[in-house]
Amino acid sequence: MNFFEHQAAARRTSTRLVVLFALAVIAIVVAVDLAVMLVFGRGDGAAGILLFTTLVTLAVIGGASMYRIASLRGGGEAVALQFGGTPVPVDTTDRYLQRLRNVVEEIAIASGVPMPGLYVLEHESAINAFAAGYSTSDAAIAVTRGALEKLNRDELQGVIAHEFSHILNGDMRLNIRLIGVLFGIMVMGIIGRRLMMHGGMSRNSRDGVAIFLVMALVAIVIGYVGLLFGRMIKAGISRTRESLADASAVQFTRQTAGLAGALKKIAGIHEGSRLGARGETEEISHMLFGDGIGFSGLFATHPPILKRIQALEPGFRAEQLERMQAQWRTTPPNGLQEDARMGLAGAHDALPAASSRINVTPAMVASQVAQPEQDDYRRADAIVNTIPDDLRELARQRDQVMPLLLGMLLASDPAVLGKQRIEIASRMGNEAAEVALAFRGRLAQALHPMQRLPLAALAFPVLRLRPRPELEVFMDAVFAAVNADGQVSLFEYCLGRLLHVQVRESLDPARYARFGRRKPGNVKQEFATLLAVVANAGSDDPAEAQRAYLAGMQRVLPRDHVPYAPPAKGVLALDAVWEPLDALDPLAKQVMVEAITAAASHDGRICVAEAELLRTICGVLHCPLPPMLERA
């Protein structure tokens, strides 16, 4: 499946989750009602009592689910911290953490998404990891210390690529909702255990203690009904998605050895993938890379480890695993030592000249959304390693990241630049405005067009660390800078919009996480506006621009006639299109990407600057593209 098909499947799974939740709630309500009937019989007031208990049960389950989801409203960071994650410092000197950051940076840039937050589960010696969040803007990846120490670089890359597939394919928001749903289903058992503890410590009469204990016992029994349903729901939803994530990780890295090696080490070392905090692990077991609890059969959240290995290496046999187990019992694996023996270092691709033109087709570009390949990793490595060290360092500094990002948005026209300076100074102060202006010259001189978005992606985790009031002021300054007088290039406008979207979503991730349902026929005018702006930006010849516009419209609305008309407000007309177009059905978004590509490349070729513009627009619309659109 491609990105859009994965997104559509995730939306269907969300619907399935609602149905399963409803069935589980019905089963719990029936169990409660049966218990009440056994206690009170079928007398005259039985109907009223049953109605009351049914409403109370529904309220408890619904309230518990909403409470748990609300507790995770902060997105990936909230999940990672609640389950024991320690943030990875941007300036860490720990070699294992440095390697983790390098691997994640490489995959983030190759995937075209912001750098996620990084966390380590310091007290877990098993090999495991999870991704959490509502979208790419608030994503977090947590890795156990055992995974960092025992996996070599290729294996770590395979695990991270597996987690990135969950980030890109919409699994994360489903996983957070699943935590809330499961908490609601199992809350009766939690109440029962609390009642049992309270009853056992109570000093009241024996009759009172007995009533407490009976109520607790009933609640625990009903809780086990919820637990049974909860584990079945987790297993049914998680197993398929874990298999898909393995396949996506192989597609990302274009090699099976790394992911297969990580799975072999899980199967071969004593700690495996089981985490120490059993109660907490139960809640997130469906999110983990490996089985964190040890369930099998009907309740297993992951396919059997041997089957996962054999799906990657069909010739692998259990006897080989036994030999590995014997070897690792005497000599536990060490990832950094294996890296040294393997000599993991590669040549970097050179970046193409800014004036280069590449061959693309709409279908080819759409197929690359969130689907990086091996050449994308080489280019990502080249992009990161050729960004000047001083700019990379600025992107990691909390007090410099905002002026640095604003510097990318500043115009070259002195008149526009002066107005932008005034707008920034009025919101963030003269010093921030002057620093942004100083950075503008350095950025224009030192950055290749393909490095602007990646530098912003590397800066984003540091930006998210700033207090909310400062981020809101920054968002206002970004908006003012790109709208200073309307004389802003399409790329600068879209980059400003991309920053705005990412910051907005990181501040309130749960609010903006949803799967779209709109169809192209419902957003005809928005399509016309976007394609007209793209076509007009790509050519000074009105006739040529009209042909580009029609090429895009033919892709998305072939039966409709919406005449070409360059928007009077220029790029500012796009303010009205982003929300409706972002709400498109996933498969409709695929057609949209093809239409934008057709308009930008109606002659079949685009330059590097046009490719970066296309990547920026797609980023705003949550369709991340890899760093280069032409395959090696």
Side-chain angles (χ1 to χ4, degrees):
M1 290 193 289
N2 65 19
F3 167 78
F4 304 100
E5 291 165 339
H6 275 296
Q7 291 269 306
R11 194 185 73 180
R12 290 192 298 270
T13 303
S14 294
T15 304
R16 180 183 167 202
L17 177 60
V18 171
V19 173
L20 292 171
F21 177 59
L23 292 174
V25 169
I26 290 171
I28 294 170
V29 168
V30 169
V32 172
D33 288 348
L34 287 174
V36 169
M37 288 175 63
L38 288 174
V39 174
F40 293 99
R42 301 185 181 183
D44 294 338
I49 294 173
L50 287 177
L51 177 61
F52 176 75
T53 55
T54 297
L55 293 176
V56 169
T57 303
L58 291 174
V60 169
I61 294 172
S65 290
M66 288 188 288
Y67 160 77
R68 191 68 183 106
I69 292 174
S71 73
L72 301 174
R73 190 174 181 83
E77 179 184 16
V79 177
L81 291 175
Q82 281 193 31
F83 293 104
T86 301
V88 175
V90 294
D91 57 350
T92 180
T93 57
D94 184 316
R95 292 172 63 198
Y96 293 103
L97 297 181
Q98 287 175 338
R99 186 182 61 164
L100 171 66
R101 181 170 292 281
N102 291 339
V103 168
V104 176
E105 284 181 354
E106 179 183 298
I107 297 180
I109 291 174
S111 305
V113 299
M115 175 80 175
L118 290 183
Y119 296 82
V120 59
L121 304 179
E122 286 285 6
H123 303 295
E124 298 289 354
S125 59
I127 297 173
N128 225 321
F130 67 82
Y134 286 94
S135 72
T136 56
S137 298
D138 73 295
I141 290 178
V143 181
T144 62
R145 175 57 70 170
L148 295 179
E149 294 179 350
K150 296 177 176 71
L151 300 181
N152 63 45
R153 194 182 195 280
D154 280 350
E155 292 163 348
L156 183 62
Q157 185 187 58
V159 172
I160 298 300
H162 175 104
E163 297 308 323
F164 258 82
S165 75
H166 289 310
I167 293 174
L168 293 165
N169 295 333
D171 296 343
M172 291 192 309
R173 71 189 79 171
L174 177 65
N175 285 337
I176 287 182
R177 289 167 184 162
L178 190 52
I179 290 176
V181 165
L182 295 173
F183 185 78
I185 291 173
M186 295 186 286
V187 74
M188 296 298 291
I190 297 172
I191 292 172
R193 287 193 292 273
R194 296 285 173 86
L195 288 174
M196 184 72 77
M197 291 173 60
H198 184 77
M201 294 184 293
S202 176
R203 296 182 180 179
N204 296 330
S205 67
R206 292 183 179 179
D207 289 343
V209 172
I211 291 172
F212 251 101
L213 293 178
V214 169
M215 291 172 60
L217 184 60
V218 170
I220 288 173
V221 171
I222 293 169
Y224 272 107
V225 173
L227 183 62
L228 177 69
F229 272 92
R231 287 176 176 172
M232 290 175 63
I233 290 172
K234 279 198 299 185
I237 290 177
S238 178
R239 273 198 300 262
T240 300
R241 304 204 72 74
E242 290 302 317
S243 296
L244 289 173
D246 282 351
S248 294
V250 172
Q251 185 169 337
F252 276 19
T253 58
R254 279 294 179 256
Q255 53 104 351
T256 61
L259 184 60
L263 293 171
K264 289 172 186 175
K265 286 181 178 176
I266 286 176
I269 65 172
H270 172 70
E271 298 89 343
S273 56
R274 291 181 300 279
L275 301 185
R278 175 67 182 255
E280 295 176 355
T281 304
E282 175 81 44
E283 271 202 286
I284 61 168
S285 59
H286 59 287
M287 300 169 58
L288 298 172
F289 171 74
D291 179 6
I293 296 180
F295 288 144
S296 59
L298 184 64
F299 299 126
T301 53
H302 295 67
I305 194 75
L306 185 58
K307 287 189 176 180
R308 290 178 73 182
I309 297 170
Q310 290 172 337
L312 301 169
E313 295 183 4
F316 189 80
R317 295 291 176 264
E319 297 78 22
Q320 295 171 263
L321 191 56
E322 292 171 2
R323 288 196 294 271
M324 291 178 176
Q325 290 170 338
Q327 174 190 339
W328 287 327
R329 274 195 296 269
T330 57
T331 309
N334 182 294
L336 289 181
Q337 290 179 3
E338 291 178 20
D339 286 348
R341 288 195 298 270
M342 295 162 64
L344 289 179
H348 309 312
D349 279 8
L351 298 181
S355 58
S356 300
R357 294 182 66 81
I358 58 178
N359 296 311
V360 295
T361 65
M364 182 189 79
V365 172
S367 70
Q368 292 175 234
V369 172
Q371 300 287 343
E373 295 189 356
Q374 189 60 41
D375 53 313
D376 295 314
Y377 285 102
R378 292 198 307 271
R379 286 164 176 154
D381 194 32
I383 288 169
V384 172
N385 282 283
T386 55
I387 292 176
D389 291 340
D390 61 326
L391 294 181
R392 291 178 64 184
E393 184 60 30
L394 289 171
R396 295 191 175 109
Q397 295 180 17
R398 288 181 55 147
D399 59 337
Q400 301 293 329
V401 66
M402 288 183 177
L404 178 69
L405 292 171
L406 285 168
M408 295 187 188
L409 301 170
L410 299 181
S412 56
D413 184 329
V416 177
L417 187 61
K419 293 179 180 179
Q420 290 177 320
R421 186 205 172 284
I422 293 172
E423 296 288 358
I424 295 171
S426 66
R427 290 162 175 82
M428 299 180 63
N430 285 322
E431 182 179 352
E434 291 298 331
V435 174
L437 259 67
F439 287 160
R440 189 203 73 81
R442 175 71 177 129
L443 291 164
Q445 176 187 18
L447 278 189
H448 187 282
M450 288 178 63
Q451 293 174 324
R452 289 180 290 190
L453 289 182
L455 183 60
L458 295 179
F460 191 61
V462 182
L463 179 67
R464 286 192 299 195
L465 298 176
R466 301 305 297 257
R468 185 186 186 102
E470 290 185 17
L471 285 175
E472 290 174 344
V473 171
F474 172 72
M475 289 166 61
D476 189 33
V478 167
F479 182 81
V482 299
N483 292 276
D485 66 351
Q487 303 299 312
V488 180
S489 74
L490 181 54
F491 177 82
E492 290 167 339
Y493 171 85
C494 289
L495 178 58
R497 182 69 189 187
L498 182 58
L499 285 174
H500 180 85
V501 166
Q502 290 173 352
V503 171
R504 179 194 67 183
E505 291 181 0
S506 70
L507 288 175
D508 193 0
R511 178 180 177 184
Y512 298 102
R514 62 178 64 91
F515 293 109
R517 295 181 179 277
R518 289 194 178 189
K519 301 299 180 184
N522 298 328
V523 288
K524 294 179 184 179
Q525 190 53 53
E526 287 82 0
F527 269 125
T529 300
L530 176 60
L531 293 175
V533 170
V534 171
N536 197 50
S539 176
D540 295 329
D541 181 357
E544 189 73 10
Q546 183 174 11
R547 284 193 287 272
Y549 167 83
L550 293 174
M553 290 298 288
Q554 183 63 30
R555 280 274 172 179
V556 70
L557 295 168
R559 297 194 179 104
D560 294 277
H561 178 66
V562 184
Y564 169 68
K569 296 170 63 178
V571 297
L572 301 183
L574 294 177
D575 286 342
V577 313
W578 299 121
E579 188 173 343
L581 292 181
D582 199 30
L584 282 169
D585 171 90
L587 296 179
K589 275 194 175 183
Q590 178 174 353
V591 180
M592 176 189 68
V593 172
E594 293 178 359
I596 300 170
T597 306
S601 63
H602 68 286
D603 61 352
R605 296 174 65 81
I606 59 175
C607 68
V608 171
E610 289 173 323
E612 289 306 290
L613 170 60
L614 181 57
R615 291 184 66 228
T616 309
I617 293 174
C618 288
V620 172
L621 296 170
H622 298 94
C623 300
L625 282 168
M628 196 67 186
L629 303 182
E630 187 174 53
R631 293 301 192 199

